[in-house]
Amino acid sequence: MIAPLPDLLIEPIVRAALAEDLGRAGDLTAQACIDADARLDATFGVRRQGVVAGLACARLAVLAMDPSARFETLIADGAAVTPGAVLAKVSANARALLSAERTALNLLGRLSGVATLTSAYVAAVEGTGARIVDTRKTTPGLRALEKYAVRCGGGVNHRFGLDDAILIKDNHVAACGGVGEAVRRARAAAGHLTMVEVEIDGLDQLAEALEAGPDVIMLDNFSLADLRQAVALTAGRVTLEASGGVDLTTVRAIAETGVQVISVGALTHSAPVLDIGLDAS
């Protein structure tokens, strides 16, 4: 079971999204067309196959507009769903519910899309032992939610930000004069709980990287043959992460080279929104 995100973390994101949509004067359409005390019962329903994530966002969007609303979640985040599945039932002030509708659906559809795409990658490498992980290529302000959605899809989170691990990329290497020197400086600066990862872009850098002793080596845009050779040369001494050139047509072959981790930026930067609607009942 996926541990849910706390409402305390989600609520400010939802409220900011609502404020963006409501603007200076609120929902003019709802105010003009609907009686102030009218109520509306509705359901959140799925229109395409996928994996659900972000139901708390929908719930909090509705409750922000109508604290007395009743929101009943019927399916848990992380569940696989088919078209027609009802995710939640809601009963609320009609103006409030319709004002919250787009924010609720934007977040729920976006996060379910991330979970759905992640699940496809996870299924593609099943049985290989490789783990699918995300990157920092997330929507600004939504990283916590999008990385949660990756977990809902069966993926694993890479570092959350710049402050929870050391990841030495090619520009860091260039700035300090080489792979080995960069890793040595990182090791000297890192606390005992801080992981050190270094990116290399060719087998010619592998021996130097191994000698410096990182925890993880990222193999950036390696061919399948070079990935297999890197796996053989390291012989399990460090974790190997493949990155670059990964899509659903290539990920299985990459996993079969023996790398332990495959990072996929597309999980968060290119996931299509899952089609979910709010329908009056």
Side-chain angles (χ1 to χ4, degrees):
M1 183 176 178
I2 300 103
L5 292 177
D7 286 357
L8 188 66
L9 186 152
I10 304 170
E11 193 168 10
I13 299 171
V14 170
R15 287 188 176 275
L18 284 168
E20 178 182 58
D21 210 20
L22 291 166
R24 297 166 296 174
D27 184 350
L28 298 182
T29 308
Q31 293 170 27
C33 299
I34 301 172
D35 292 339
D37 58 354
R39 293 194 66 79
L40 184 64
D41 296 335
T43 58
F44 286 89
V46 180
R47 296 167 178 167
R48 295 190 63 184
Q49 182 173 328
V51 176
V52 179
L55 281 162
C57 297
R59 172 175 55 82
L60 290 170
V62 172
L63 291 175
M65 297 302 298
D66 178 7
S68 67
R70 297 193 305 274
F71 191 103
E72 181 185 3
T73 300
L74 303 178
I75 293 176
D77 281 351
V81 292
T82 54
V86 176
L87 305 181
K89 295 180 179 179
V90 60
S91 179
N93 175 275
R95 286 186 180 181
L97 179 55
L98 295 178
S99 296
E101 176 182 4
R102 180 44 49 201
T103 292
L105 291 174
N106 281 351
L107 290 170
L108 180 57
R110 166 68 181 151
L111 299 182
S112 296
V114 170
T116 299
L117 183 59
T118 301
S119 71
Y121 275 90
V122 171
V125 302
E126 185 177 3
T128 66
R131 307 175 88 185
I132 298 296
V133 307
D134 54 25
T135 70
R136 286 169 42 245
K137 295 176 182 177
T138 54
T139 308
L142 296 184
R143 181 170 294 171
L145 298 183
E146 290 176 350
K147 282 183 171 280
Y148 167 73
V150 167
R151 298 197 299 275
C152 288
V156 178
N157 294 149
H158 208 287
R159 61 175 180 165
F160 188 87
L162 295 171
D163 62 342
D164 59 348
I166 293 176
L167 175 46
I168 303 163
K169 303 280 281 183
D170 53 353
N171 287 331
H172 299 102
V173 170
C176 63
V179 168
E181 177 63 16
V183 175
R184 284 188 287 273
R185 291 185 188 185
R187 278 287 179 217
H192 69 291
L193 295 179
T194 302
M195 298 283 285
V196 175
E197 178 173 7
V198 63
E199 175 189 272
I200 62 173
D201 54 23
L203 285 170
D204 58 316
Q205 296 176 304
L206 182 59
E208 183 182 359
L210 283 170
E211 184 179 356
D215 300 294
V216 184
I217 296 177
M218 179 187 292
L219 310 172
D220 186 45
N221 284 298
F222 273 45
S223 67
L224 293 177
D226 284 353
L227 287 173
R228 285 189 288 268
Q229 190 170 350
V231 170
L233 290 170
T234 57
R237 284 179 285 172
V238 298
T239 297
L240 292 178
E241 173 184 336
S243 179
V246 183
D247 60 34
L248 284 170
T249 68
T250 62
V251 69
R252 178 78 189 188
I254 292 170
E256 289 174 343
T257 66
V259 295
Q260 296 99 322
V261 176
I262 304 173
S263 54
V264 186
L267 301 183
T268 52
H269 71 57
S270 296
V273 169
L274 185 64
D275 190 1
I276 299 171
L278 179 71
D279 297 304
S281 56

